[in-house]
Amino acid sequence: NQLFGEVDKVLSQARAKKADLYSPSNFKKGMEYYDQGSDTYSKGGRLEEVRDQLKNAAAYFAKGLDICAKGEVAFSKPMAARTDAGSAGAPKYSSQLWLEGEEKFNRAARNLEDGDLQSADEEGRKAEILYRAAELEAIKANYLSPAWELLKKADDTGVKDHAPRTLARARSLATLAEALLKQNRYDTDSARQLAQEAKY
């Protein structure tokens, strides 16, 4: 507790403030020193060496916390978009766009760490666009995938010959639901209802 207490406190603050997102380089470096300190301690290494490693870890975590304060302001919109995309299931339903957004956000954060505010802002805006696209794709996948899959199955099995009006109505409802989601992705009630009707 004496050795790790202080650094653990700073580490938990860094995690709470999302330093791994806002200041990835500092957080990573801090974790490397922290792991070295833990390793040295568990192997019965010199306490002086452990203290040095943990001191370095705490310094990087503290540096990361300073960047977090700037990042929370600079990346408020991209972070909101990231949160919304995550809530919509983008990592699962729109993994490619989500990963591209994560890459841009990471690049923006690294630019912020380097003090390049203009590049950080540009990359942050790109990340926001990608997160919003991923969110929309995930919402569409959540609500419309079952209907579109059934329509594809209907096409493959020649349902059009036996129930052309029902199939046309289902396709029309699914298209309308998709259009509604594009117009307002947060008013999902109407779109969900149309998608369910199309599926039925």
Side-chain angles (χ1 to χ4, degrees):
N1 282 346
Q2 282 181 331
L3 273 174
F4 287 85
E6 200 57 45
V7 72
D8 282 342
K9 200 185 293 179
V10 184
L11 172 57
S12 67
Q13 287 173 349
R15 283 192 171 128
K17 287 288 186 181
K18 297 186 172 77
D20 57 323
L21 290 173
Y22 289 122
S23 185
S25 301
N26 287 314
F27 188 80
K28 186 179 175 207
K29 199 76 179 157
M31 284 309 298
E32 284 169 8
Y33 276 116
Y34 185 89
D35 291 340
Q36 283 173 16
S38 297
D39 194 46
T40 306
Y41 179 76
S42 64
K43 288 179 177 170
R46 291 185 312 112
L47 286 182
E48 201 50 50
E49 192 180 346
V50 175
R51 279 192 193 95
D52 284 347
Q53 288 163 337
L54 296 181
K55 199 164 99 179
N56 287 336
Y60 276 106
F61 293 144
K63 200 173 169 188
L65 280 167
D66 289 343
I67 304 272
C68 285
K70 295 175 192 168
E72 284 171 356
V73 175
F75 302 136
S76 60
K77 286 183 178 177
M79 187 52 90
R82 184 181 189 274
T83 302
D84 290 343
S87 298
K92 180 182 176 183
Y93 295 107
S94 181
S95 56
Q96 186 61 41
L97 283 169
W98 171 262
L99 289 172
E100 286 174 27
E102 290 283 84
E103 191 182 311
K104 291 287 179 197
F105 192 94
N106 190 275
R107 198 173 296 165
R110 288 179 190 279
N111 286 329
L112 185 68
E113 284 179 318
D114 294 340
D116 186 351
L117 298 179
Q118 188 179 342
S119 295
D121 188 51
E122 285 170 19
E123 294 297 321
R125 269 185 270 146
K126 289 177 190 171
E128 183 186 354
I129 290 165
L130 287 163
Y131 286 137
R132 289 295 176 204
E135 178 195 13
L136 180 59
E137 198 172 280
I139 290 170
K140 280 163 50 175
N142 272 326
Y143 294 123
L144 291 166
S145 281
W148 285 121
E149 282 167 21
L150 283 171
L151 281 164
K152 187 186 179 319
K153 195 174 175 184
D155 287 342
D156 293 345
T157 53
V159 171
K160 193 167 75 171
D161 301 337
H162 304 288
R165 282 187 300 187
T166 304
L167 202 58
R169 177 86 177 123
R171 196 174 304 282
S172 161
L173 288 167
T175 305
L176 186 59
E178 195 163 347
L180 274 174
L181 284 172
K182 279 182 186 166
Q183 277 175 10
N184 186 356
R185 70 186 71 187
Y186 301 113
D187 182 18
T188 54
D189 289 345
S190 305
R192 184 192 292 121
Q193 202 171 341
L194 287 169
Q196 284 172 346
E197 203 178 326
K199 184 181 165 188
Y200 169 74

